[in-house]
Amino acid sequence: MQSPDFCNGRNKGRRTIELKKEKEKGKEEPKEKILIASPIRQTAPVLREFLQSLESLERTTVTTDYLFVDDNEEEAASNMLHEFVLRHEGSLLDANVDEADTNQGKGVYNKDEGGHYWRDEQIWRVAGLKNRILAYARDQKYDAVFLIDSDLVLHPRTLEQLVSNRKEIISNIFWTRWQPGTREMPQVWLQDEYALFRKGGKRNSGEEAEDEGTQTDAFLRQLRTPGCYEVGGLGACTLIRRNVLESGISYDQIPNVSFWGEDRHFCIRAQALGFRLYVDTHFPAYHIYRLSELPGVAAFNRRAIRGEESISISLCMIVKNEEASLARCLDSVNGIADEIVIVDTGSTDQTRQIAARYTERIIDFEWVDDFAAARNFAFEQATSEYILWLDADDVFEPDDRVKFIELKRSLDPAVDSITMDYHLSFTAEGKVAYSLRRNRLVRRDRNYRWIGAVHEYLEVAGHLLHSDVAVTHKKDKEYTDRNLKIYRKREQAGEEFSPRDLYYFGNELKDHGHLEDAVHYYGKFLDTGLGWVEDQIAACQKIADCEAALEHSEKEVSALLRSFAFDLPRAEICCRLGGYFADRADYRKALYWYEQATRAVRPTDPMVVLNEAAWTWMPHLQLCVCYDRMGNRAKAKEHNDIALMYHPTHPSMLYNDKYFKDLEKDNVLGNA
């Protein structure tokens, strides 16, 4: 991995001071002349954002001209581009240099929410348009050309930052989810078509190279850190200096290279000619890769206009006797929290001494059997723009810490609350077994309040963002009856419980084996007709758990069926009913309910906690078993094959697969 080149950010401030001194002496340094250029085939809404960001670029040390190639299919986009060029006295080239190109070369360029779909002839047509731009910049003696794709929105300081690096070829970083739901990836790479690691390289003399995954993660983390770094490939937002233009470089296809994309062929030529390639990561551009990402431009622009690198965050925690886990938690928020507020509710171990290594803001709070009161007190001590809350046995794993730091840099300050996954348990292979979502980061000035003495929740409203950051729970204490005692104390005092308290009191009773009392309180909760629908459905399942343990089978089924009153049938409930009948060898009814599980409509609310097994492989595995018991081997194998597609390493499905293959062999031998 190349070490960072720090010639840029600090030089910019020094350069500004030097320019000021030159002006004072009457010897103003001449400004560089930059051609801002782009071949454009774009929709009008995206083009509008692109052009507005060009207008907002700072021009302290440069003067600029515009050159665009009008390749638009939309008349509105073409008219918008012509008006912009006229207003700024720019230049416009017609994409179609002859009649044949008008009818044959342009083609239909398709894009949708899934991605962009290029044909080879379209790529090399764009290469030709870029070559015309390079030739124009060379002929007109520009100091550099800034060649940009028209679906990017730039930070105002982008051009000045790139120029300040004094590199011959340098791109400004941007990140893209190339397919929906995947990880954001950069437009720069290290080797080949898109390798984010150095193949076969050595770290130091005599040492083996790190594995590809480790190198890739390190490279991506580096690109998230502001700096200037050498890369092997780049494109789409690139400053190219005059000496490079005069070398005769082009985007033409190299006949004996099969790499996809004109930018790759440009980069190969550049390296062959002795030009090194760099990326600047100080001011990432915003990529409108799909129309659904268009609303994010407003957030990007607000952040840029505010001139802040990131929001500020206060971490607020309530603790008591957390010496075993507190340091681990606080280490994981390095680079995230600007302020740490520790509210201690009566520690008698080394908790305060450990906290003092991280913050001076350690405040005592007298415990009053009320978690909401303690958390609200902690929130009241915060001074930053946003408040983050964690428990002492929570951590951000390294990948989530990197994601959070990026979120901190890019977050729209208009967002009121950010939810994060909360990973609570894991499989033996280290995969997440159970997770839910919680509001983790909130604007301080919204004055959100915690509610509930036990199992408290943060009541939020307004503009919510569901992030891909996760908090990992690393429980290192045994569960106690503390919460149950608080509820019993309130019960004995004759306190009237809210619907939510009725539900969570039921949970505490169930967890501690008081099953009949748990059923009673779950029933009282459901009878109110109030509360979150997900809690109502969960209460039905938990009543069924209790009744099953008490061997009240009819009541178990009734509780499961009661859940259908609150929402469409959930796959978890259908699987549970299927299991009930399968256990009693009533396979006809079991088949019905497992089939219903495969057809269940998945809730769209990201706050809903689902058992993914019930929504994917589990019902198919059980259908396999039921069909086999009924003698229908073909249907049994069909469902086992479907289950394997979801979970290719599950031992039960692998056993079944071998079972069916052995049967097939026996049949072949028997018929021989």
Side-chain angles (χ1 to χ4, degrees):
M1 199 72 61
Q2 296 290 326
S3 59
D5 182 336
F6 290 110
C7 66
N8 35 44
R10 285 172 284 185
N11 280 358
K12 186 178 189 324
R14 185 166 65 248
R15 182 177 175 80
T16 303
I17 294 171
E18 290 170 352
L19 281 170
K20 186 175 180 181
K21 289 180 178 177
E22 289 294 323
K23 289 180 182 180
E24 291 172 354
K25 295 178 182 177
K27 299 177 181 178
E28 185 174 347
E29 182 178 309
K31 294 185 176 184
E32 292 191 79
K33 188 177 180 184
I34 310 294
L35 179 67
I36 299 175
S38 179
I40 294 179
R41 188 193 302 193
Q42 195 53 264
T43 60
V46 175
L47 180 59
R48 179 179 297 106
E49 300 295 347
F50 169 70
L51 295 175
Q52 287 178 355
S53 80
L54 296 186
E55 286 183 310
S56 299
L57 288 172
E58 294 178 7
R59 293 166 173 83
T60 304
T61 65
V62 301
T63 61
T64 61
D65 292 327
Y66 293 111
L67 172 69
F68 300 113
V69 183
D70 185 1
D71 197 27
N72 286 300
E73 295 175 309
E74 287 188 11
E75 184 178 356
S78 188
N79 291 339
M80 184 186 300
L81 183 62
H82 281 250
E83 191 277 331
F84 182 91
V85 168
L86 183 64
R87 181 155 40 91
H88 292 280
E89 299 182 354
S91 299
L92 202 60
L93 300 178
D94 186 356
N96 304 308
V97 294
D98 56 47
E99 227 176 86
D101 190 47
T102 302
N103 297 318
Q104 297 176 14
K106 192 169 184 175
V108 177
Y109 168 46
N110 294 315
K111 56 184 178 180
D112 56 28
E113 288 300 299
H116 295 198
Y117 312 100
W118 291 83
R119 295 202 302 268
D120 281 351
E121 63 269 22
Q122 295 169 334
I123 290 173
W124 301 115
R125 183 172 183 275
V126 170
L129 300 181
K130 290 183 176 180
N131 286 338
R132 290 173 64 189
I133 290 173
L134 297 186
Y136 182 96
R138 182 175 60 246
D139 294 344
Q140 299 299 316
K141 306 296 182 184
Y142 281 94
D143 293 307
V145 59
F146 185 26
L147 192 55
I148 327 165
D149 283 4
S150 60
D151 54 2
L152 294 175
V153 178
L154 306 178
H155 187 285
R157 293 172 62 186
T158 300
L159 182 55
E160 285 288 335
Q161 180 64 33
L162 291 177
V163 169
S164 73
N165 285 291
R166 313 305 300 173
K167 302 299 184 186
E168 293 168 314
I169 305 175
I170 185 167
S171 280
N172 192 75
I173 192 78
F174 62 85
W175 299 80
T176 308
R177 298 186 194 278
W178 300 114
Q179 284 83 39
T182 59
R183 186 180 188 180
E184 280 191 328
M185 300 298 281
Q187 98 282 13
V188 298
W189 60 98
L190 288 173
Q191 285 186 342
D192 299 335
E193 272 193 301
Y194 193 67
L196 304 180
F197 53 87
R198 299 282 186 189
K199 295 182 180 178
K202 301 284 186 180
R203 287 190 292 170
N204 293 303
S205 177
E207 291 185 12
E208 290 298 321
E210 293 176 323
D211 65 76
E212 295 175 1
T214 301
Q215 286 193 63
T216 296
D217 288 343
F219 180 57
L220 294 176
R221 284 196 299 270
Q222 185 183 61
L223 295 181
R224 294 290 190 181
T225 305
C228 175
Y229 309 102
E230 187 169 2
V231 294
L234 46 71
C237 189
T238 308
L239 186 76
I240 306 169
R241 294 277 180 181
R242 181 191 295 178
N243 61 322
V244 180
L245 299 173
E246 292 176 346
S247 72
I249 199 167
S250 75
Y251 286 88
D252 285 336
Q253 184 175 16
I254 302 172
N256 61 339
V257 174
S258 63
F259 287 176
W260 182 90
E262 77 285 359
D263 285 330
R264 290 170 177 81
H265 292 251
F266 171 88
C267 292
I268 293 170
R269 279 196 172 85
Q271 294 276 17
L273 290 168
F275 299 113
R276 297 164 72 181
L277 309 174
Y278 293 87
V279 64
D280 189 286
T281 64
H282 282 84
F283 304 110
Y286 184 83
H287 192 193
I288 314 173
Y289 188 60
R290 41 185 68 85
L291 282 178
S292 62
E293 293 162 340
L294 190 60
V297 175
F300 175 85
N301 285 335
R302 276 194 291 271
R303 177 65 60 205
I305 292 169
R306 280 163 57 115
E308 297 177 3
E309 293 303 315
S310 68
I311 59 170
S312 61
I313 296 175
S314 293
L315 169 64
C316 293
M317 301 176 64
I318 59 172
V319 299
K320 181 180 180 181
N321 293 338
E322 302 289 358
E323 64 180 5
S325 57
L326 183 58
R328 180 183 62 196
C329 174
L330 296 179
D331 284 340
S332 78
V333 298
N334 182 33
I336 293 174
D338 301 284
E339 175 185 56
I340 296 175
V341 176
I342 304 293
V343 171
D344 187 77
T345 62
S347 294
T348 56
D349 62 1
Q350 295 295 307
T351 294
R352 293 179 68 90
Q353 290 86 336
I354 293 169
R357 303 204 302 259
Y358 298 86
T359 181
E360 296 178 353
R361 304 211 61 204
I362 304 170
I363 306 163
D364 289 323
F365 181 80
E366 183 179 353
W367 182 244
V368 291
D369 282 348
D370 191 326
F371 281 92
R375 292 203 189 276
N376 285 328
F377 177 78
F379 271 36
E380 289 164 6
Q381 314 311 309
T383 62
S384 297
E385 185 178 7
Y386 280 81
I387 299 174
L388 167 71
W389 69 274
L390 294 171
D391 290 329
D393 47 9
D394 295 334
V395 298
F396 290 104
E397 297 289 11
D399 283 349
D400 289 302
R401 179 175 167 273
V402 170
K403 289 178 184 177
F404 200 150
I405 291 172
E406 175 57 25
L407 174 69
K408 183 179 177 182
R409 290 180 59 194
S410 61
L411 182 66
D412 177 1
V415 172
D416 297 309
S417 178
I418 298 89
T419 69
M420 299 179 186
D421 281 321
Y422 192 30
H423 296 334
L424 291 165
S425 63
F426 298 83
T427 65
E429 296 79 24
K431 295 183 178 180
V432 177
Y434 182 69
S435 183
L436 50 83
R437 276 197 165 265
R438 287 190 171 171
N439 289 285
R440 279 285 175 188
L441 185 68
V442 295
R443 283 190 64 98
R444 182 172 62 88
D445 61 7
R446 291 304 303 269
N447 296 313
Y448 294 134
R449 303 294 291 174
W450 288 90
I451 296 174
V454 187
H455 294 291
E456 70 283 7
Y457 69 97
L458 187 58
E459 189 174 54
V460 304
H463 184 183
L464 305 184
L465 173 69
H466 302 297
S467 76
D468 62 351
V469 180
V471 176
T472 296
H473 184 62
K474 295 193 173 184
K475 188 72 176 177
D476 52 13
K477 288 184 178 179
E478 293 296 324
Y479 285 100
T480 70
D481 61 353
R482 177 194 57 189
N483 292 345
L484 180 58
K485 286 180 177 177
I486 293 174
Y487 275 128
R488 286 294 197 195
K489 186 176 179 181
R490 295 171 64 193
E491 179 187 41
Q492 291 167 6
E495 183 176 333
E496 184 175 344
F497 289 118
S498 69
R500 191 172 188 278
D501 277 330
L502 291 171
Y503 171 67
Y504 279 101
F505 192 3
N507 287 345
E508 292 294 336
L509 291 164
K510 175 177 177 291
D511 291 344
H512 289 86
H514 304 290
L515 302 184
E516 292 181 345
D517 284 348
V519 169
H520 172 70
Y521 272 98
Y522 285 135
K524 290 185 69 173
F525 163 62
L526 292 175
D527 289 343
T528 67
L530 303 173
W532 190 29
V533 65
E534 301 306 319
D535 288 343
Q536 293 171 325
I537 293 171
C540 292
Q541 294 183 76
K542 292 177 179 183
I543 291 174
D545 292 339
C546 295
E547 298 292 11
L550 293 167
E551 299 183 354
H552 300 159
S553 58
E554 291 185 3
K555 291 182 178 180
E556 176 188 356
V557 173
S558 295
L560 293 172
L561 293 173
R562 185 176 182 179
S563 71
F564 298 162
F566 301 107
D567 199 5
L568 297 177
R570 296 290 170 84
E572 294 90 342
I573 303 289
C574 294
C575 284
R576 180 72 180 271
L577 287 165
Y580 175 87
F581 290 109
D583 288 344
R584 289 157 177 78
D586 192 343
Y587 297 117
R588 185 178 67 87
K589 292 177 184 174
L591 284 174
Y592 174 83
W593 287 110
Y594 284 128
E595 289 283 3
Q596 296 309 307
T598 67
R599 300 188 182 103
V601 179
R602 181 183 287 262
T604 57
D605 183 353
M607 300 298 285
V608 175
V609 180
L610 299 177
N611 179 349
E612 282 299 319
W615 292 86
T616 53
W617 58 266
M618 184 190 293
H620 291 287
L621 175 59
Q622 300 305 327
L623 284 165
C624 165
V625 174
C626 291
Y627 275 117
D628 184 73
R629 295 286 190 276
M630 297 176 73
N632 191 338
R633 297 282 164 72
K635 290 291 288 184
K637 183 179 184 305
E638 174 188 327
H639 282 284
N640 194 67
D641 289 343
I642 296 172
L644 270 171
M645 287 192 296
Y646 286 113
H647 199 329
T649 61
H650 194 287
S652 296
M653 276 103 79
L654 292 174
Y655 175 88
N656 294 344
D657 189 55
K658 183 177 183 304
Y659 164 74
F660 291 121
K661 287 177 179 176
D662 289 344
L663 283 176
E664 190 174 336
K665 288 179 185 177
D666 291 344
N667 288 336
V668 171
L669 291 173
N671 294 326

